[in-house]
Amino acid sequence: MRKLIILFFVGLAITVSSCRQDFVFEPSTGDLVFSKDTIYLDTVFANIGSSTYTLKVYNKSSKDIKIPTIRLAKGVGTKYRITVDGMTGDENRIFHDVELLAKDSMYIFIETTAGIGDANPSDFLYTDQIEFDSGANLQKVELVTLIQDAYFIFPNKQNGITESIPIGFNEDGTVLETNGRNLSHNHPDNGNEYLFKTDKPYVVYGYASVPSGETLTIPGGARVHFHANSGLVVQQGGTLHITGSTSTTAALENEVIFEGDRLEPDFSDVPGQWGTVYLRQGSLNHTVKNLTLKNAVIGLLVENNLGTPMTIENTQIYDCSNVGLLGRAASIEGKNVVINTAGVASLACTLGGSYEFKHCTFNNNWSSSKQVAVLVNNYYTDDTNTQHAYDLQQANFYNCIIFGSNQVELLINKSTIDPANNWTTPIFSKCQIRFNNTNNQFTNNPDYAFINDTNEIIKNQDPDFLDINKNKLMIGENSAGNGFGNNVGVPFDLINTPRVLPNIDLGAYQHITFPPAN
């Protein structure tokens, strides 16, 4: 009996407690606290969705409150969208009776997709407000986005099928294709797409293609942004001319810039945001001057253009997830080229070819024990473990810096089949190279004979770069490459500083005096 009485009172206590009005929500009184009073959504291109931004809302009072409305001031017609603690409300614009416990907080997530016509015509800003409650209790958080107009290049779509272009062949000869389209001489929105304009940037979805017989010219000041899995393809018989010039300010006003279409600062150095610039086999007569390319999978892919050397000058390639500059049986002449940080190699000269680089800086601090700054080989091995060799006509490096975070930053791989007929030993003249010959494993390899020639090579000494992490590979006064170079016919460095004997430095830059550390 006693046990039954105890159980009765326990049950009664539970019943009473379950009926308690612990959460009686009172109307809000306009005392909310916000993590920010203005949310600046970084610059977006017209009609392309932004990233998601966060606002945190605090109820610092000791009372549970109910906010009658949380809404965007422009109502359902606004180009902003919000979610409130996971709720979508009325079309992601209006929310009713939102509850917030005492001493608690909630998250609001904000996005926008706006056109240039939605923005203020004088400053291209698109604005709105998140309003909390109304009347005397009204509180506001400002929303501000800069809308940037652009020329858009994207494949056409008809009957649910997206237009495609050829990018190569499978092993059985089947044509490989990807989403994209040929450029047009008379596009209804962009005009002549074979001569890029500089009044506003280009945004490319899929692959923009330069067909046979056509030349794409991209002048200094042009800005090209590539969406994920997008890029530029120059087909057999096509030509690419990038014609930038030296800039005088940090804005790189005379450079051509290739990068991804995510404009937020957090994406400025994220590798692999877009595909590649692919100069296919049989494309010809390419020139690249004063290009800054960053955040691709492969920056420039040059394939079997022997007989029509590609010239690349005063060019910077940064933060590629695979390779910065990849040649496949290619012919490339480079001067004042800087490549920094890549998942496999900053520069890869593969499947033979003909390569000559003067006053170039190849550095790789990718966080891997396998990455290198420079790779040279003349073969590949297929799925059946059969080796296929090609002619390496030359691989010459003059006054170059080859460096990085690993013990060996230069890898030379020669085919083991008929090597004498397919191989010319690479030349490294007046170069600075990171190469620790651990256990003397390269000592008897004739292709690495250069590593002990102190007249031609500076080995394992500090280049004294300004700031590797910020892609500032200027060298300082304490660089081992200061004054070590010869005159190889490149009279100015990447930023147009004269090179005069006896003070010719290694790499793409003459040395500078670094600003004092903070």
Side-chain angles (χ1 to χ4, degrees):
M1 182 70 180
R2 184 173 180 178
K3 290 182 178 179
L4 290 174
I5 292 173
I6 292 172
L7 288 173
F8 170 77
F9 281 108
V10 170
L12 180 62
I14 292 173
T15 302
V16 171
S17 65
S18 68
C19 296
R20 288 174 58 194
Q21 301 298 309
D22 287 344
F23 303 109
V24 176
F25 290 91
E26 299 184 5
S28 63
T29 57
D31 294 322
L32 298 171
V33 176
F34 308 110
S35 58
K36 297 178 181 178
D37 57 11
T38 302
I39 303 294
Y40 295 98
L41 287 77
D42 288 302
T43 304
V44 297
F45 289 114
N47 300 311
I48 295 179
S50 71
S51 293
T52 301
Y53 294 77
T54 302
L55 172 69
K56 199 168 185 180
V57 182
Y58 301 90
N59 173 18
K60 295 193 173 183
S61 74
S62 57
K63 297 179 180 180
D64 304 328
I65 62 172
K66 182 181 291 185
I67 307 167
T69 58
I70 298 175
R71 65 189 303 272
L72 288 159
K74 292 182 178 179
V76 295
T78 185
K79 301 300 180 180
Y80 288 100
R81 304 176 298 279
I82 60 175
T83 60
V84 177
D85 256 9
M87 299 180 293
T88 57
D90 300 341
E91 300 183 38
N92 292 103
R93 269 80 173 180
I94 303 172
F95 301 77
H96 302 280
D97 296 327
V98 178
E99 297 172 348
L100 185 56
L101 297 176
K103 307 296 183 181
D104 201 357
S105 62
M106 64 182 178
Y107 285 96
I108 296 180
F109 298 103
I110 306 137
E111 298 175 332
T112 188
T113 305
I116 195 69
D118 301 309
N120 184 330
S122 63
D123 55 17
F124 301 106
L125 294 177
Y126 182 67
T127 62
D128 203 344
Q129 299 170 328
I130 305 176
E131 296 182 341
F132 299 82
D133 209 336
S134 59
N137 295 330
L138 176 64
Q139 293 180 271
K140 299 178 180 181
V141 171
E142 303 289 334
L143 304 178
V144 180
T145 307
L146 177 64
I147 309 298
Q148 186 166 359
D149 198 8
Y151 297 106
F152 292 92
I153 298 174
F154 51 87
N156 299 309
K157 195 170 184 178
Q158 189 172 8
N159 299 325
I161 299 175
T162 302
E163 187 177 3
S164 62
I165 57 166
I167 57 167
F169 298 92
N170 210 335
E171 291 183 358
D172 61 3
T174 304
V175 175
L176 298 175
E177 295 186 333
T178 190
N179 289 343
R181 69 166 173 86
N182 288 334
L183 297 176
S184 169
H185 283 286
N186 191 25
H187 190 272
D189 298 319
N190 302 336
N192 181 8
E193 294 177 329
Y194 289 101
L195 177 60
F196 276 20
K197 305 176 183 67
T198 60
D199 58 328
K200 54 186 179 181
Y202 286 76
V203 180
V204 179
Y205 282 76
Y207 276 80
S209 173
V210 181
S212 179
E214 298 286 2
T215 297
L216 169 61
T217 300
I218 304 179
R223 303 293 186 257
V224 187
H225 299 263
F226 298 94
H227 192 62
N229 302 314
S230 300
L232 174 64
V233 177
V234 182
Q235 308 287 358
Q236 180 178 7
T239 298
L240 174 65
H241 287 164
I242 295 175
T243 59
S245 58
T246 304
S247 299
T248 58
T249 74
L252 301 177
E253 70 280 358
N254 298 323
E255 297 270 333
V256 174
I257 299 180
F258 287 0
E259 60 184 319
D261 65 348
R262 300 296 298 269
L263 304 183
E264 305 92 320
D266 288 346
F267 284 83
S268 63
D269 58 359
V270 175
Q273 295 180 45
W274 56 282
T276 185
V277 176
Y278 182 15
L279 309 179
R280 289 190 62 194
Q281 176 175 339
S283 62
L284 69 167
N285 299 327
H286 309 299
T287 58
V288 176
K289 293 184 178 179
N290 293 90
L291 167 68
T292 296
L293 184 156
K294 51 187 179 179
N295 311 128
V297 175
I298 298 174
L300 294 173
L301 170 52
V302 187
E303 187 176 74
N304 201 359
N305 65 327
L306 288 175
T308 57
M310 170 187 177
T311 60
I312 174 170
E313 301 179 26
N314 300 338
T315 288
Q316 305 164 71
I317 301 174
Y318 299 132
D319 301 312
C320 295
S321 61
N322 195 309
V323 178
L325 172 57
L326 172 57
R328 291 176 176 166
S331 180
I332 302 175
E333 297 176 356
K335 301 175 183 178
N336 290 335
V337 176
V338 177
I339 308 178
N340 188 35
T341 307
V344 176
S346 293
L347 168 69
C349 306
T350 68
L351 306 186
S354 176
Y355 306 93
E356 183 174 270
F357 293 97
K358 297 179 178 179
H359 280 292
C360 295
T361 301
F362 306 116
N363 186 76
N364 202 348
N365 277 56
W366 191 273
S367 55
S368 162
S369 61
K370 297 181 179 180
Q371 53 77 19
V372 294
V374 173
L375 166 66
V376 180
N377 71 36
N378 72 326
Y379 71 95
Y380 81 96
T381 303
D382 65 22
D383 294 338
T384 65
N385 207 32
T386 301
Q387 201 174 96
H388 302 266
Y390 299 82
D391 291 337
L392 180 67
Q393 297 180 5
Q394 65 174 5
N396 299 336
F397 296 79
Y398 302 99
N399 291 2
C400 292
I401 298 175
I402 299 171
F403 217 77
S405 55
N406 284 338
Q407 294 301 306
V408 172
E409 286 291 345
L410 169 63
L411 189 60
I412 300 172
N413 285 333
K414 178 170 61 177
S415 168
T416 58
I417 59 171
D418 198 17
N421 295 331
N422 298 103
W423 185 260
T424 301
T425 301
I427 293 173
F428 298 88
S429 175
K430 295 296 182 180
C431 292
Q432 181 173 356
I433 303 175
R434 177 74 178 268
F435 198 96
N436 281 309
N437 187 16
T438 307
N439 300 323
N440 294 316
Q441 58 181 315
F442 299 100
T443 300
N444 297 320
N445 187 329
D447 294 317
Y448 290 93
F450 63 87
I451 61 176
N452 294 314
D453 187 346
T454 56
N455 290 321
E456 294 296 323
I457 300 298
I458 299 172
K459 190 171 66 174
N460 302 325
Q461 295 187 43
D462 186 6
D464 194 23
F465 292 130
L466 176 58
D467 193 333
I468 292 169
N469 295 324
K470 293 183 179 179
N471 293 320
K472 296 181 178 181
L473 271 68
M474 305 82 172
I475 62 171
E477 295 172 312
N478 296 321
S479 173
N482 184 347
F484 189 74
N486 284 334
N487 186 349
V488 293
V490 186
F492 297 94
D493 76 356
L494 192 148
I495 54 177
N496 217 31
T497 302
R499 291 187 173 106
V500 181
L501 283 172
N503 299 311
I504 293 179
D505 300 340
L506 302 188
Y509 300 100
Q510 286 289 98
H511 74 271
I512 62 172
T513 301
F514 291 165
N518 293 329

